Amino acid sequence: MQTECHSILLVSHDSRIITQVKTFLIPPLFELTVSSDFNEARRIAGEKNFNIIIVDSGDGYDTDFAISVSDSYSTVLLFVPNEHFDEISYRVEGYGILTLIKPFEPFYFYNMIKVAIAVEYKVRLLSSETVKLKSKMEEIRVVNRAKLLLMEKRGMSEQEAHHYLEKESMDKGLKRTAVAEKIIAEF
């Protein structure tokens, strides 16, 4: 079984945190990109999709970047000083951001990375299902529109229109949506 590589963006001004994180997130399991500038990190996150984005909030109040990237498919992990943890954790949890007290214990960081990977996997799975459902809904919408046109323009019943679409699909070796799109284009 091949192990998946997890792409991670780390944004921190603190060289100690960068060093600590680098010791845990080593290749080939992790592909780590580091930025010490939030503007640069925003650009990088816009150009590449990351599985996990780790943000060091500095004094604890610099959470804007974490909130802005939380609407991506990435799992966001925010380092927060102990004295501001409850306040900030409560404020960002509605965005789906996971918080971790800094300085962090290696055991807790490791476990939080495992949680972030699991969350990212679930999001990816659900996103895939959403895409499939949207595609199926679009297919149904197109077929129903074609049936409606057949009923209006050719005086068919709904059952006749349905049968016509099925028969044309089988006779021409096309998907129902392709036949439906052809009918819509005719009218």
Side-chain angles (χ1 to χ4, degrees), residues 56-69:
D56 177 11
S57 69
D59 63 359
Y61 291 104
D62 195 6
T63 59
D64 293 342
F65 175 77
I67 291 170
S68 72
V69 296

Side-chain angles (χ1 to χ4, degrees), residues 58-61 80-89 101-103:
D59 63 359
Y61 291 104
V80 179
N82 189 26
E83 61 271 12
H84 303 297
F85 181 79
D86 290 333
E87 172 195 346
I88 291 172
S89 181
I101 293 173
K102 69 173 191 173

Side-chain angles (χ1 to χ4, degrees), residues 77-153:
L77 179 60
L78 180 66
F79 292 146
V80 179
N82 189 26
E83 61 271 12
H84 303 297
F85 181 79
D86 290 333
E87 172 195 346
I88 291 172
S89 181
Y90 179 76
R91 187 167 26 127
V92 301
E93 69 186 13
Y95 295 98
I97 298 172
L98 303 171
T99 51
L100 184 65
I101 293 173
K102 69 173 191 173
F104 56 85
E105 291 293 323
F107 173 77
Y108 293 116
F109 177 69
Y110 174 74
N111 281 324
M112 193 58 87
I113 288 295
K114 287 173 52 176
V115 167
I117 289 169
V119 167
E120 189 273 332
Y121 174 75
K122 274 292 197 192
V123 167
R124 195 172 356 132
L125 186 68
L126 291 172
S127 297
S128 171
E129 290 299 315
T130 300
V131 168
K132 288 177 191 172
L133 287 172
K134 284 182 178 180
S135 174
K136 187 67 176 169
M137 287 172 53
E138 179 62 17
E139 180 182 319
I140 290 168
R141 188 189 68 72
V142 169
V143 168
N144 284 342
R145 176 80 177 127
K147 279 195 229 178
L148 184 63
L149 285 170
L150 289 170
M151 291 164 55
E152 286 177 359
K153 305 292 184 184

Side-chain angles (χ1 to χ4, degrees), residues 9 11 38 41-46 48 50-55 63-78 95-97:
L9 173 61
V11 187
F38 285 106
R42 201 175 312 277
R43 181 188 57 74
I44 293 169
K48 180 182 176 184
F50 291 91
N51 300 113
I52 301 169
I53 298 176
I54 302 172
V55 182
T63 59
D64 293 342
F65 175 77
I67 291 170
S68 72
V69 296
S70 69
D71 62 356
S72 68
Y73 290 115
S74 305
T75 300
V76 180
L77 179 60
L78 180 66
Y95 295 98
I97 298 172

